[in-house]
Amino acid sequence: MKKAFLILPCLAVVVGCSSIETNPQSSKVLVSHNKPPKGCKYIGEAVGNQGNFVSGAWTSNANLEKGAMNDLRNKANEMGANYVQLTTSRAGMSGGSGVGLNSGGSFSQTTVAAIGNAYNCKHLDITD
């Protein structure tokens, strides 16, 4: 029982360090700052997130950003989109209060959100 008590938190930390993966179909969703090509149909807003105040402290900034973009692609794909015009990408910071991992009043990036307008572009063919 003691081993399980120690293994579960360690497993949570390891899982928290990796970025969210894209689903196979989601890897074909194109994300760009550019306006969508002509003829695309607006579907809605898609939001991707990676991290929180616990796991984010153990995840690199690069993995937080990659995970948020991958989550955005997954969400857009679930909506039926294959193109996302990225409108916002934000990093959230958590700071220490002298207790725990972020002690001493320092701040660290712990979350990233990627927000965009999702479109279905029937004529857009994205291949691997």
Side-chain angles (χ1 to χ4, degrees):
M1 183 68 172
K2 289 182 183 180
K3 286 183 182 181
F5 184 71
L6 293 174
I7 291 173
L8 289 176
C10 292
L11 182 60
V13 167
V14 170
V15 170
C17 294
S18 63
S19 62
I20 294 170
E21 297 295 324
T22 56
N23 300 323
Q25 276 301 113
S26 300
S27 64
K28 296 180 181 181
V29 174
L30 178 63
V31 179
S32 174
H33 288 281
N34 298 325
K35 291 182 179 181
K38 290 186 180 187
C40 296
K41 180 184 175 190
Y42 175 75
I43 297 174
E45 185 177 73
V47 179
N49 294 291
Q50 170 87 35
N52 58 48
F53 75 97
V54 175
S55 68
W58 298 97
T59 307
S60 71
N61 290 351
N63 278 348
L64 287 171
E65 292 169 12
K66 181 180 177 183
M69 291 299 287
N70 288 345
D71 192 40
L72 177 66
R73 283 185 172 90
N74 290 338
K75 302 269 178 66
N77 182 62
E78 290 170 9
M79 296 168 66
N82 62 350
Y83 187 92
V84 177
Q85 181 185 11
L86 188 65
T87 57
T88 305
S89 182
R90 293 189 186 151
M93 308 292 271
S94 292
S97 59
V99 180
L101 297 174
N102 292 320
S103 61
S106 65
F107 288 86
S108 63
Q109 181 174 312
T110 56
T111 64
V112 171
I115 304 167
N117 294 318
Y119 295 86
N120 183 299
C121 305
K122 293 186 188 286
H123 61 284
L124 189 61
D125 182 30
I126 302 173
T127 57
D128 293 340

